[in-house]
């Protein structure tokens, strides 16, 4: 089995890269996000590889990090998620955001991936919620705010989260930022103040 490839980028395509390893060109399927982060043609690159052997083919899938490869494997444990759908999810959500989305039970973020409908997204967050902890911790306050049972008195926080989502931020990011803002400003903070603080939290 191939677990890693290190070579030179021969050519980049819509859904795969040809990696030249000592004169042998390996066709490696990748997420859109991974392809966008690869070096240019002619430059050196290294990919963590997942090898899938089928009766009619051997396919290679490439990832820039082990965490991305691990999520690729875990996602396919959910009924209805194959390699194509797993790559589609990883194309819109890097591992850290996917971890947050699952921990926060954020079905909407996962449903943005092509081929993932509301029912499949709900199944993914439900079945994998216990796996998210292995990839990092998510603020308990963010989990509470993002859930359907948000604590009483959090209407300002909920409105602030909605405002950030409307500005284009993913719900897990928005919930995490507002949870941090609540800690800094206190539970009595108004919506506008939370939004301002939340934007600072989200600033690169």
């Amino acid at each position: 089995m191939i677990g890693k490839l290190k070579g030179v980028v021969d050519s980049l395509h819509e859904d795969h890269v040809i990696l030249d390893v000592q004169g042998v060109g390996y066709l490696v399927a990748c997420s859109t996000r991974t392809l966008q982060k690869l070096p240019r043609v002619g430059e050196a690159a290294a990919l963590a590889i997942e090898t899938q052997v089928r009766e009619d083919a051997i396919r290679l899938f490439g990832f820039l990090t082990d965490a991305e490869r691990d999520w690729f494997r875990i996602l396919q444990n959910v009924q209805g998620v194959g390699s194509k759908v797993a790559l589609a999810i990883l194309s819109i959500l890097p591992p850290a955001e996917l971890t947050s989305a699952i921990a926060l039970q954020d079905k909407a973020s996962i449903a943005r991936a092509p081929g993932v409908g509301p029912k499949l997204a709900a199944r993914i967050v439900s079945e994998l919620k216990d796996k998210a902890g292995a990839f990092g911790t998510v603020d308990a306050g963010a989990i509470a705010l993002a859930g359907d049972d948000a604590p009483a008195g959090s209407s300002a926080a909920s409105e602030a989260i909605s405002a950030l989502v409307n500005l284009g931020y993913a719900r897990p990011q928005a919930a995490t930022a507002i949870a941090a803002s609540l800690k800094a400003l206190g539970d009595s903070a108004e919506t506008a103040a939370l939004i301002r603080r939340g934007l600072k939290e989200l600033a690169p």
Side-chain angles (χ1 to χ4, degrees):
M1 290 294 194
I2 298 174
K4 181 179 180 179
L5 286 174
K6 187 175 182 180
V8 174
V9 176
D10 182 84
S11 58
L12 291 165
H13 304 268
E14 184 177 349
D15 59 357
H16 68 275
V17 59
I18 302 294
L19 195 64
D20 185 329
V21 182
Q22 297 181 344
V24 178
Y26 290 89
L27 190 157
V28 185
C30 302
S31 70
T32 302
R33 189 177 295 273
T34 293
L35 289 170
Q36 290 172 345
K37 291 187 176 183
L38 280 173
R40 293 175 293 182
V41 171
E43 295 184 356
L47 288 170
I49 300 294
E50 175 74 3
T51 305
Q52 290 188 352
V53 180
R54 300 287 185 262
E55 290 183 3
D56 58 346
I58 298 176
R59 299 190 67 193
L60 303 179
F61 299 87
F63 310 92
L64 292 176
T65 65
D66 289 341
E68 187 183 15
R69 180 175 61 183
D70 290 344
W71 268 123
F72 177 74
R73 293 170 175 167
I74 291 170
L75 284 166
Q76 291 177 82
N77 291 328
V78 178
Q79 182 182 358
V81 178
S83 58
K84 184 177 180 180
V85 169
L87 284 182
I89 293 171
L90 289 167
S91 290
I92 65 162
L93 292 171
E97 289 184 27
L98 178 57
T99 298
S100 295
I102 290 174
L104 299 173
Q105 297 290 284
D106 180 15
K107 302 180 287 291
S109 286
I110 293 175
R112 290 190 293 117
V116 180
K119 289 184 179 180
L120 181 55
R123 189 184 307 144
I124 290 170
V125 299
S126 175
E127 293 186 14
L128 299 183
K129 61 184 178 182
D130 294 332
K131 304 286 187 182
F135 291 85
T137 57
V138 178
D139 188 279
I143 294 175
L145 287 175
D148 294 330
D149 54 347
S154 63
S155 58
S158 297
E159 290 171 3
I161 291 171
S162 295
L164 293 181
V165 170
N166 289 337
L167 289 173
Y169 292 100
R171 188 169 183 82
Q173 290 178 296
T176 300
I178 297 305
S181 300
L182 276 173
K183 284 184 179 180
L185 302 176
D187 293 338
S188 61
E190 295 183 354
T191 301
L194 288 172
I195 293 172
R196 287 194 296 271
R197 178 75 187 203
L199 288 171
K200 288 183 180 179
E201 294 285 340
L202 291 165

